Amino acid sequence: MKPDITVLCSLGRHPASDRPRAAVADARALAFALGVGGEVRAVHAGNPESPGLRDYLGQTAARRSLDALDVIEVPAGRDIRPALIEYLSQRSPDVILAGVRAEDGEGSGSLPYDLAAALGYAMVPTIDALSMPGAGRVELQQVLPRGRRRALDAGLPLLATIDAGSATRPVFAEARARRGQIRTITPSVLCPEIDPPEIRPARARPKRIAVARGGSAADRLRAASETQAGQGQLMIDPDAEDAARAIADYLRAEGLLRQR
């Protein structure tokens, strides 16, 4: 048996040209779905006129591609979750697939979890294999840190994110991208405005204190705890203010505390 799959597709930007394009993680999710087999549908919430959407129509995997891409028309700056929930609840796919997080915007990775909670779907992150041995059940392989894998058995319906590092890389065909159809859908639910995310310069990471390596554990502990001659100061029963001032001076000297 083959499950009915819907893939959530977002848009990213090319790192060199800044041109809108298919998000790499979602493109891998679509290639994964085409490889599993069964009926595959893809949906995007946003502007149906965006040129990057045809990148999904041109993708081929396992000698399959999309004939059409559903686009829910949602203006920029609006919450896409109500529109996606309405779309998915009306179609009730067996499996919903998505990338781990979006490339553009907040990229928090919370959308799949929000949709799974709203739809009542089971949620499994970072998978790289899926099969349906019988009705109502799927067998999954989940990607864990350090290259480990874990076999899982789950019931349907299911929402899963695809591990982009191990998923199939799609092949692009320009002719298929031009032939594919973009179907515009107008949602009947209200999509409220959302506050734009705050963007600020990244803060420098704290500087690690050097720790002596090699030797026995006792030698490393002694090197970390002892003060070399001519460095630092030894304070015996100091006042709280004097001790705090000495600690602050040391942290500033090591670059761990900003200068006044």
Short mmCIF file of all heavy atoms in Angstrom, two decimals, residues 179-249:
data_model
loop_
_atom_site.label_atom_id
_atom_site.label_comp_id
_atom_site.label_asym_id
_atom_site.label_seq_id
_atom_site.Cartn_x
_atom_site.Cartn_y
_atom_site.Cartn_z
N ARG A 179 5.57 23.24 -17.95
CA ARG A 179 4.29 22.58 -18.21
C ARG A 179 3.40 22.51 -16.98
O ARG A 179 2.18 22.44 -17.09
CB ARG A 179 4.53 21.14 -18.71
CG ARG A 179 5.02 21.04 -20.13
CD ARG A 179 4.79 19.64 -20.66
NE ARG A 179 5.38 18.63 -19.81
CZ ARG A 179 6.59 18.11 -20.00
NH1 ARG A 179 7.34 18.53 -21.01
NH2 ARG A 179 7.06 17.17 -19.20
N GLY A 180 4.00 22.51 -15.80
CA GLY A 180 3.23 22.34 -14.57
C GLY A 180 2.24 23.48 -14.35
O GLY A 180 2.41 24.60 -14.83
N GLN A 181 1.19 23.18 -13.61
CA GLN A 181 0.11 24.13 -13.37
C GLN A 181 0.15 24.60 -11.92
O GLN A 181 0.36 23.81 -11.00
CB GLN A 181 -1.24 23.46 -13.66
CG GLN A 181 -2.44 24.37 -13.42
CD GLN A 181 -3.75 23.63 -13.59
OE1 GLN A 181 -3.78 22.43 -13.85
NE2 GLN A 181 -4.85 24.36 -13.46
N ILE A 182 -0.05 25.90 -11.74
CA ILE A 182 -0.17 26.47 -10.40
C ILE A 182 -1.64 26.78 -10.16
O ILE A 182 -2.25 27.59 -10.86
CB ILE A 182 0.69 27.74 -10.25
CG1 ILE A 182 2.17 27.38 -10.31
CG2 ILE A 182 0.37 28.46 -8.95
CD1 ILE A 182 3.10 28.56 -10.17
N ARG A 183 -2.23 26.10 -9.18
CA ARG A 183 -3.65 26.27 -8.88
C ARG A 183 -3.80 27.19 -7.66
O ARG A 183 -3.35 26.85 -6.56
CB ARG A 183 -4.30 24.91 -8.58
CG ARG A 183 -4.29 23.96 -9.77
CD ARG A 183 -5.11 22.72 -9.47
NE ARG A 183 -4.54 21.93 -8.41
CZ ARG A 183 -4.29 20.62 -8.51
NH1 ARG A 183 -4.55 19.96 -9.64
NH2 ARG A 183 -3.78 19.95 -7.49
N THR A 184 -4.42 28.33 -7.87
CA THR A 184 -4.59 29.32 -6.81
C THR A 184 -5.85 29.00 -6.00
O THR A 184 -6.92 28.77 -6.57
CB THR A 184 -4.68 30.73 -7.38
OG1 THR A 184 -3.50 31.01 -8.14
CG2 THR A 184 -4.80 31.75 -6.26
N ILE A 185 -5.70 28.99 -4.68
CA ILE A 185 -6.81 28.71 -3.77
C ILE A 185 -6.99 29.90 -2.84
O ILE A 185 -6.02 30.40 -2.25
CB ILE A 185 -6.54 27.43 -2.95
CG1 ILE A 185 -6.38 26.22 -3.88
CG2 ILE A 185 -7.64 27.19 -1.93
CD1 ILE A 185 -5.94 24.97 -3.17
N THR A 186 -8.22 30.37 -2.73
CA THR A 186 -8.52 31.49 -1.83
C THR A 186 -9.08 30.93 -0.52
O THR A 186 -10.11 30.25 -0.53
CB THR A 186 -9.55 32.44 -2.46
OG1 THR A 186 -9.03 32.92 -3.70
CG2 THR A 186 -9.83 33.61 -1.54
N PRO A 187 -8.41 31.18 0.59
CA PRO A 187 -8.90 30.63 1.86
C PRO A 187 -10.18 31.34 2.32
O PRO A 187 -10.39 32.53 2.04
CB PRO A 187 -7.75 30.88 2.82
CG PRO A 187 -7.04 32.07 2.26
CD PRO A 187 -7.18 31.96 0.77
N SER A 188 -11.02 30.63 3.05
CA SER A 188 -12.25 31.21 3.58
C SER A 188 -12.10 31.61 5.04
O SER A 188 -13.05 32.12 5.64
CB SER A 188 -13.41 30.22 3.44
OG SER A 188 -13.13 29.02 4.16
N VAL A 189 -10.93 31.39 5.60
CA VAL A 189 -10.68 31.75 7.00
C VAL A 189 -9.86 33.02 7.06
O VAL A 189 -9.17 33.39 6.10
CB VAL A 189 -9.95 30.61 7.75
CG1 VAL A 189 -10.81 29.37 7.83
CG2 VAL A 189 -8.62 30.29 7.09
N LEU A 190 -9.93 33.69 8.19
CA LEU A 190 -9.17 34.92 8.39
C LEU A 190 -7.74 34.59 8.76
O LEU A 190 -7.48 33.78 9.66
CB LEU A 190 -9.82 35.76 9.50
CG LEU A 190 -9.10 37.06 9.88
CD1 LEU A 190 -9.10 38.03 8.70
CD2 LEU A 190 -9.74 37.69 11.11
N CYS A 191 -6.80 35.21 8.06
CA CYS A 191 -5.38 35.06 8.37
C CYS A 191 -4.89 36.36 9.00
O CYS A 191 -4.68 37.35 8.30
CB CYS A 191 -4.58 34.76 7.10
SG CYS A 191 -5.01 33.20 6.31
N PRO A 192 -4.76 36.40 10.32
CA PRO A 192 -4.42 37.66 10.98
C PRO A 192 -3.01 38.13 10.67
O PRO A 192 -2.14 37.35 10.27
CB PRO A 192 -4.58 37.32 12.47
CG PRO A 192 -4.35 35.85 12.55
CD PRO A 192 -4.88 35.28 11.27
N GLU A 193 -2.79 39.42 10.88
CA GLU A 193 -1.45 39.97 10.71
C GLU A 193 -0.54 39.47 11.83
O GLU A 193 -0.99 39.21 12.95
CB GLU A 193 -1.49 41.49 10.71
CG GLU A 193 -2.22 42.10 9.53
CD GLU A 193 -2.13 43.62 9.52
OE1 GLU A 193 -1.49 44.16 10.46
OE2 GLU A 193 -2.70 44.24 8.61
N ILE A 194 0.72 39.33 11.51
CA ILE A 194 1.70 38.90 12.50
C ILE A 194 2.76 39.99 12.66
O ILE A 194 3.04 40.74 11.72
CB ILE A 194 2.37 37.57 12.11
CG1 ILE A 194 3.02 37.67 10.72
CG2 ILE A 194 1.38 36.44 12.15
CD1 ILE A 194 3.77 36.44 10.30
N ASP A 195 3.30 40.09 13.85
CA ASP A 195 4.36 41.06 14.10
C ASP A 195 5.64 40.59 13.43
O ASP A 195 6.02 39.41 13.57
CB ASP A 195 4.59 41.23 15.60
CG ASP A 195 3.37 41.80 16.31
OD1 ASP A 195 2.65 42.58 15.66
OD2 ASP A 195 3.15 41.46 17.49
N PRO A 196 6.32 41.48 12.70
CA PRO A 196 7.58 41.05 12.06
C PRO A 196 8.62 40.69 13.10
O PRO A 196 8.67 41.29 14.19
CB PRO A 196 7.99 42.28 11.24
CG PRO A 196 7.32 43.43 11.92
CD PRO A 196 6.03 42.89 12.46
N PRO A 197 9.48 39.72 12.80
CA PRO A 197 10.51 39.35 13.78
C PRO A 197 11.53 40.46 13.95
O PRO A 197 11.83 41.21 13.01
CB PRO A 197 11.15 38.09 13.16
CG PRO A 197 10.88 38.22 11.70
CD PRO A 197 9.55 38.90 11.57
N GLU A 198 12.07 40.57 15.15
CA GLU A 198 13.12 41.56 15.41
C GLU A 198 14.45 41.04 14.87
O GLU A 198 14.86 39.91 15.16
CB GLU A 198 13.23 41.81 16.91
CG GLU A 198 14.29 42.83 17.28
CD GLU A 198 14.46 42.99 18.78
OE1 GLU A 198 13.71 42.32 19.52
OE2 GLU A 198 15.35 43.75 19.20
N ILE A 199 15.11 41.85 14.07
CA ILE A 199 16.40 41.49 13.48
C ILE A 199 17.46 42.42 14.05
O ILE A 199 17.33 43.64 13.97
CB ILE A 199 16.35 41.60 11.94
CG1 ILE A 199 15.28 40.65 11.38
CG2 ILE A 199 17.72 41.27 11.35
CD1 ILE A 199 15.12 40.74 9.88
N ARG A 200 18.49 41.84 14.64
CA ARG A 200 19.58 42.64 15.20
C ARG A 200 20.89 41.91 14.96
O ARG A 200 20.91 40.70 14.72
CB ARG A 200 19.35 42.86 16.70
CG ARG A 200 19.26 41.60 17.53
CD ARG A 200 19.10 41.95 19.00
NE ARG A 200 19.02 40.75 19.82
CZ ARG A 200 17.89 40.17 20.20
NH1 ARG A 200 16.74 40.70 19.82
NH2 ARG A 200 17.90 39.08 20.95
N PRO A 201 22.02 42.63 15.01
CA PRO A 201 23.32 41.99 14.78
C PRO A 201 23.58 40.86 15.78
O PRO A 201 23.18 40.94 16.94
CB PRO A 201 24.32 43.13 14.95
CG PRO A 201 23.52 44.38 14.74
CD PRO A 201 22.14 44.08 15.23
N ALA A 202 24.21 39.82 15.29
CA ALA A 202 24.54 38.69 16.17
C ALA A 202 25.56 39.11 17.21
O ALA A 202 26.48 39.88 16.93
CB ALA A 202 25.06 37.52 15.34
N ARG A 203 25.40 38.60 18.42
CA ARG A 203 26.33 38.91 19.50
C ARG A 203 27.52 37.95 19.45
O ARG A 203 27.35 36.76 19.16
CB ARG A 203 25.62 38.80 20.83
CG ARG A 203 26.45 39.26 22.02
CD ARG A 203 25.62 39.22 23.30
NE ARG A 203 25.23 37.85 23.60
CZ ARG A 203 24.51 37.52 24.67
NH1 ARG A 203 24.07 38.45 25.49
NH2 ARG A 203 24.19 36.25 24.89
N ALA A 204 28.68 38.49 19.67
CA ALA A 204 29.88 37.64 19.66
C ALA A 204 29.78 36.56 20.73
O ALA A 204 29.29 36.80 21.84
CB ALA A 204 31.12 38.50 19.90
N ARG A 205 30.24 35.38 20.38
CA ARG A 205 30.19 34.27 21.33
C ARG A 205 31.20 34.47 22.45
O ARG A 205 32.27 35.04 22.25
CB ARG A 205 30.49 32.96 20.62
CG ARG A 205 29.41 32.56 19.62
CD ARG A 205 29.70 31.19 19.04
NE ARG A 205 28.64 30.76 18.13
CZ ARG A 205 28.62 29.60 17.51
NH1 ARG A 205 29.61 28.72 17.70
NH2 ARG A 205 27.62 29.27 16.71
N PRO A 206 30.87 34.02 23.66
CA PRO A 206 31.82 34.17 24.78
C PRO A 206 33.14 33.45 24.50
O PRO A 206 33.16 32.40 23.85
CB PRO A 206 31.08 33.54 25.96
CG PRO A 206 29.63 33.55 25.57
CD PRO A 206 29.60 33.40 24.09
N LYS A 207 34.19 34.01 24.98
CA LYS A 207 35.51 33.42 24.81
C LYS A 207 35.72 32.34 25.87
O LYS A 207 35.49 32.56 27.06
CB LYS A 207 36.58 34.50 24.96
CG LYS A 207 38.00 33.99 24.83
CD LYS A 207 38.99 35.13 25.03
CE LYS A 207 40.42 34.62 25.00
NZ LYS A 207 41.39 35.73 25.26
N ARG A 208 36.13 31.16 25.42
CA ARG A 208 36.38 30.07 26.36
C ARG A 208 37.71 30.27 27.09
O ARG A 208 38.69 30.72 26.50
CB ARG A 208 36.41 28.72 25.63
CG ARG A 208 35.05 28.30 25.09
CD ARG A 208 35.17 26.96 24.40
NE ARG A 208 33.89 26.48 23.93
CZ ARG A 208 33.05 25.75 24.64
NH1 ARG A 208 33.37 25.43 25.89
NH2 ARG A 208 31.90 25.35 24.15
N ILE A 209 37.71 29.93 28.36
CA ILE A 209 38.95 29.98 29.13
C ILE A 209 39.80 28.76 28.77
O ILE A 209 39.31 27.63 28.76
CB ILE A 209 38.65 30.00 30.64
CG1 ILE A 209 37.81 31.24 31.00
CG2 ILE A 209 39.94 29.96 31.46
CD1 ILE A 209 37.41 31.29 32.46
N ALA A 210 41.06 29.02 28.44
CA ALA A 210 41.95 27.93 28.05
C ALA A 210 42.16 26.97 29.20
O ALA A 210 42.38 27.38 30.35
CB ALA A 210 43.29 28.49 27.58
N VAL A 211 42.08 25.68 28.89
CA VAL A 211 42.28 24.63 29.90
C VAL A 211 43.46 23.77 29.45
O VAL A 211 43.53 23.36 28.29
CB VAL A 211 41.02 23.76 30.05
CG1 VAL A 211 41.27 22.64 31.06
CG2 VAL A 211 39.85 24.61 30.50
N ALA A 212 44.38 23.53 30.35
CA ALA A 212 45.55 22.72 30.01
C ALA A 212 45.14 21.30 29.67
O ALA A 212 44.27 20.72 30.31
CB ALA A 212 46.53 22.72 31.19
N ARG A 213 45.77 20.76 28.62
CA ARG A 213 45.47 19.40 28.19
C ARG A 213 46.70 18.52 28.40
O ARG A 213 47.82 19.00 28.46
CB ARG A 213 45.04 19.37 26.72
CG ARG A 213 43.78 20.17 26.47
CD ARG A 213 43.34 20.07 25.02
NE ARG A 213 42.13 20.83 24.76
CZ ARG A 213 40.91 20.41 24.99
NH1 ARG A 213 40.72 19.20 25.48
NH2 ARG A 213 39.86 21.18 24.73
N GLY A 214 46.48 17.22 28.45
CA GLY A 214 47.56 16.28 28.64
C GLY A 214 47.85 16.06 30.12
O GLY A 214 47.39 16.79 31.00
N GLY A 215 48.62 15.03 30.42
CA GLY A 215 48.93 14.70 31.79
C GLY A 215 47.78 13.99 32.47
O GLY A 215 46.76 13.66 31.86
N SER A 216 47.94 13.79 33.77
CA SER A 216 46.92 13.07 34.53
C SER A 216 45.78 14.02 34.89
O SER A 216 45.88 15.25 34.72
CB SER A 216 47.53 12.49 35.80
OG SER A 216 47.98 13.53 36.65
N ALA A 217 44.71 13.46 35.41
CA ALA A 217 43.57 14.28 35.83
C ALA A 217 43.98 15.24 36.95
O ALA A 217 43.53 16.38 36.99
CB ALA A 217 42.42 13.38 36.28
N ALA A 218 44.86 14.76 37.85
CA ALA A 218 45.32 15.62 38.95
C ALA A 218 46.12 16.80 38.40
O ALA A 218 46.01 17.93 38.90
CB ALA A 218 46.16 14.81 39.94
N ASP A 219 46.96 16.56 37.37
CA ASP A 219 47.76 17.64 36.78
C ASP A 219 46.85 18.68 36.12
O ASP A 219 47.09 19.88 36.23
CB ASP A 219 48.73 17.07 35.75
CG ASP A 219 49.80 16.20 36.41
OD1 ASP A 219 50.04 16.38 37.62
OD2 ASP A 219 50.36 15.33 35.71
N ARG A 220 45.81 18.22 35.41
CA ARG A 220 44.92 19.17 34.75
C ARG A 220 44.13 19.98 35.76
O ARG A 220 43.89 21.17 35.58
CB ARG A 220 43.98 18.42 33.81
CG ARG A 220 44.70 17.78 32.61
CD ARG A 220 43.71 17.38 31.53
NE ARG A 220 42.75 16.38 32.01
CZ ARG A 220 42.95 15.07 31.94
NH1 ARG A 220 44.08 14.59 31.44
NH2 ARG A 220 42.03 14.23 32.39
N LEU A 221 43.71 19.32 36.86
CA LEU A 221 42.98 20.04 37.90
C LEU A 221 43.88 21.07 38.56
O LEU A 221 43.46 22.21 38.84
CB LEU A 221 42.46 19.05 38.94
CG LEU A 221 41.72 19.67 40.13
CD1 LEU A 221 40.48 20.42 39.65
CD2 LEU A 221 41.32 18.58 41.12
N ARG A 222 45.15 20.72 38.81
CA ARG A 222 46.08 21.65 39.44
C ARG A 222 46.35 22.83 38.52
O ARG A 222 46.40 23.99 38.96
CB ARG A 222 47.39 20.92 39.77
CG ARG A 222 48.34 21.76 40.63
CD ARG A 222 49.61 21.00 40.95
NE ARG A 222 49.32 19.73 41.62
CZ ARG A 222 49.48 18.53 41.06
NH1 ARG A 222 49.94 18.44 39.81
NH2 ARG A 222 49.19 17.45 41.73
N ALA A 223 46.48 22.57 37.20
CA ALA A 223 46.74 23.65 36.26
C ALA A 223 45.55 24.60 36.14
O ALA A 223 45.71 25.80 35.92
CB ALA A 223 47.07 23.08 34.88
N ALA A 224 44.34 24.06 36.28
CA ALA A 224 43.15 24.90 36.17
C ALA A 224 42.89 25.69 37.43
O ALA A 224 42.26 26.76 37.38
CB ALA A 224 41.94 24.03 35.84
N SER A 225 43.34 25.20 38.58
CA SER A 225 43.01 25.84 39.85
C SER A 225 44.13 26.70 40.40
O SER A 225 43.88 27.65 41.15
CB SER A 225 42.61 24.78 40.88
OG SER A 225 43.68 23.86 41.07
N GLU A 226 45.39 26.41 40.05
CA GLU A 226 46.49 27.18 40.60
C GLU A 226 46.71 28.46 39.80
O GLU A 226 46.39 28.55 38.63
CB GLU A 226 47.79 26.35 40.57
CG GLU A 226 47.80 25.23 41.61
CD GLU A 226 49.12 24.48 41.60
OE1 GLU A 226 49.91 24.71 40.65
OE2 GLU A 226 49.38 23.70 42.52
N THR A 227 47.28 29.46 40.46
CA THR A 227 47.64 30.72 39.82
C THR A 227 49.15 30.76 39.63
O THR A 227 49.91 30.54 40.59
CB THR A 227 47.19 31.91 40.67
OG1 THR A 227 45.79 31.83 40.86
CG2 THR A 227 47.54 33.22 40.00
N GLN A 228 49.61 31.01 38.40
CA GLN A 228 51.03 31.06 38.13
C GLN A 228 51.63 32.31 38.78
O GLN A 228 50.95 33.31 39.02
CB GLN A 228 51.28 31.07 36.62
CG GLN A 228 50.80 29.80 35.94
CD GLN A 228 51.08 29.83 34.47
OE1 GLN A 228 51.75 30.73 33.97
NE2 GLN A 228 50.60 28.82 33.75
N ALA A 229 52.93 32.25 39.04
CA ALA A 229 53.62 33.36 39.66
C ALA A 229 53.54 34.60 38.77
O ALA A 229 53.76 34.53 37.56
CB ALA A 229 55.10 32.99 39.91
N GLY A 230 53.24 35.73 39.38
CA GLY A 230 53.16 36.98 38.62
C GLY A 230 51.82 37.21 37.97
O GLY A 230 51.67 38.22 37.30
N GLN A 231 50.87 36.31 38.12
CA GLN A 231 49.55 36.47 37.52
C GLN A 231 48.48 36.43 38.59
O GLN A 231 48.55 35.63 39.52
CB GLN A 231 49.28 35.37 36.49
CG GLN A 231 50.21 35.42 35.29
CD GLN A 231 49.83 34.37 34.27
OE1 GLN A 231 48.90 33.61 34.48
NE2 GLN A 231 50.55 34.34 33.17
N GLY A 232 47.49 37.30 38.44
CA GLY A 232 46.37 37.30 39.36
C GLY A 232 46.78 37.77 40.75
O GLY A 232 47.86 38.33 40.96
N GLN A 233 45.89 37.57 41.71
CA GLN A 233 46.17 37.96 43.08
C GLN A 233 45.44 37.03 44.03
O GLN A 233 44.39 36.48 43.69
CB GLN A 233 45.74 39.41 43.33
CG GLN A 233 44.27 39.69 43.02
CD GLN A 233 43.90 41.13 43.26
OE1 GLN A 233 44.33 41.71 44.27
NE2 GLN A 233 43.12 41.72 42.39
N LEU A 234 46.03 36.86 45.19
CA LEU A 234 45.45 36.01 46.22
C LEU A 234 44.81 36.91 47.27
O LEU A 234 45.48 37.78 47.84
CB LEU A 234 46.52 35.12 46.86
CG LEU A 234 46.05 34.24 48.02
CD1 LEU A 234 45.02 33.23 47.53
CD2 LEU A 234 47.25 33.52 48.65
N MET A 235 43.52 36.72 47.49
CA MET A 235 42.80 37.54 48.45
C MET A 235 42.31 36.65 49.59
O MET A 235 41.65 35.64 49.35
CB MET A 235 41.62 38.25 47.77
CG MET A 235 42.04 39.07 46.56
SD MET A 235 40.64 39.87 45.73
CE MET A 235 40.21 41.10 46.96
N ILE A 236 42.64 37.01 50.81
CA ILE A 236 42.26 36.24 51.99
C ILE A 236 41.22 37.03 52.78
O ILE A 236 41.49 38.16 53.19
CB ILE A 236 43.48 35.92 52.87
CG1 ILE A 236 44.52 35.11 52.06
CG2 ILE A 236 43.06 35.14 54.12
CD1 ILE A 236 45.79 34.85 52.82
N ASP A 237 40.07 36.44 52.94
CA ASP A 237 38.94 37.07 53.64
C ASP A 237 38.69 38.50 53.16
O ASP A 237 38.69 39.46 53.95
CB ASP A 237 39.20 37.08 55.16
CG ASP A 237 39.25 35.68 55.73
OD1 ASP A 237 38.58 34.79 55.17
OD2 ASP A 237 39.96 35.46 56.74
N PRO A 238 38.49 38.70 51.84
CA PRO A 238 38.26 40.07 51.35
C PRO A 238 36.82 40.50 51.61
O PRO A 238 35.93 39.69 51.87
CB PRO A 238 38.52 39.94 49.86
CG PRO A 238 38.10 38.54 49.54
CD PRO A 238 38.46 37.72 50.77
N ASP A 239 36.60 41.81 51.52
CA ASP A 239 35.24 42.32 51.58
C ASP A 239 34.50 41.90 50.31
O ASP A 239 35.10 41.63 49.26
CB ASP A 239 35.25 43.86 51.68
CG ASP A 239 35.84 44.34 53.00
OD1 ASP A 239 35.80 43.55 53.96
OD2 ASP A 239 36.34 45.47 53.04
N ALA A 240 33.18 41.85 50.41
CA ALA A 240 32.38 41.41 49.26
C ALA A 240 32.59 42.32 48.05
O ALA A 240 32.71 41.85 46.91
CB ALA A 240 30.89 41.37 49.65
N GLU A 241 32.68 43.64 48.28
CA GLU A 241 32.87 44.57 47.16
C GLU A 241 34.23 44.38 46.51
O GLU A 241 34.36 44.41 45.30
CB GLU A 241 32.70 46.00 47.65
CG GLU A 241 31.27 46.35 48.09
CD GLU A 241 31.13 47.80 48.47
OE1 GLU A 241 32.16 48.52 48.40
OE2 GLU A 241 30.03 48.21 48.86
N ASP A 242 35.29 44.19 47.35
CA ASP A 242 36.64 43.99 46.80
C ASP A 242 36.72 42.69 46.01
O ASP A 242 37.34 42.63 44.94
CB ASP A 242 37.67 43.97 47.93
CG ASP A 242 37.77 45.32 48.63
OD1 ASP A 242 37.39 46.33 48.00
OD2 ASP A 242 38.21 45.35 49.80
N ALA A 243 36.07 41.62 46.51
CA ALA A 243 36.09 40.35 45.79
C ALA A 243 35.35 40.47 44.46
O ALA A 243 35.81 39.96 43.43
CB ALA A 243 35.46 39.26 46.66
N ALA A 244 34.19 41.14 44.49
CA ALA A 244 33.43 41.31 43.25
C ALA A 244 34.20 42.13 42.24
O ALA A 244 34.20 41.84 41.03
CB ALA A 244 32.09 41.95 43.57
N ARG A 245 34.90 43.17 42.71
CA ARG A 245 35.68 44.01 41.81
C ARG A 245 36.83 43.21 41.19
O ARG A 245 37.13 43.35 40.00
CB ARG A 245 36.20 45.22 42.57
CG ARG A 245 36.86 46.27 41.66
CD ARG A 245 37.33 47.48 42.46
NE ARG A 245 36.22 48.12 43.14
CZ ARG A 245 36.03 48.08 44.46
NH1 ARG A 245 36.87 47.41 45.25
NH2 ARG A 245 35.00 48.71 45.01
N ALA A 246 37.49 42.37 41.98
CA ALA A 246 38.60 41.57 41.46
C ALA A 246 38.10 40.56 40.42
O ALA A 246 38.76 40.34 39.39
CB ALA A 246 39.30 40.84 42.61
N ILE A 247 36.94 39.95 40.67
CA ILE A 247 36.39 39.00 39.71
C ILE A 247 36.02 39.71 38.41
O ILE A 247 36.29 39.22 37.30
CB ILE A 247 35.17 38.28 40.31
CG1 ILE A 247 35.60 37.38 41.47
CG2 ILE A 247 34.45 37.45 39.24
CD1 ILE A 247 34.46 36.78 42.24
N ALA A 248 35.40 40.89 38.53
CA ALA A 248 35.02 41.65 37.34
C ALA A 248 36.25 42.07 36.53
O ALA A 248 36.25 42.00 35.29
CB ALA A 248 34.19 42.87 37.74
N ASP A 249 37.32 42.48 37.23
CA ASP A 249 38.55 42.86 36.52
C ASP A 249 39.13 41.68 35.76
O ASP A 249 39.62 41.81 34.63
CB ASP A 249 39.57 43.41 37.51
CG ASP A 249 39.15 44.76 38.09
OD1 ASP A 249 38.27 45.41 37.46
OD2 ASP A 249 39.68 45.15 39.15
#
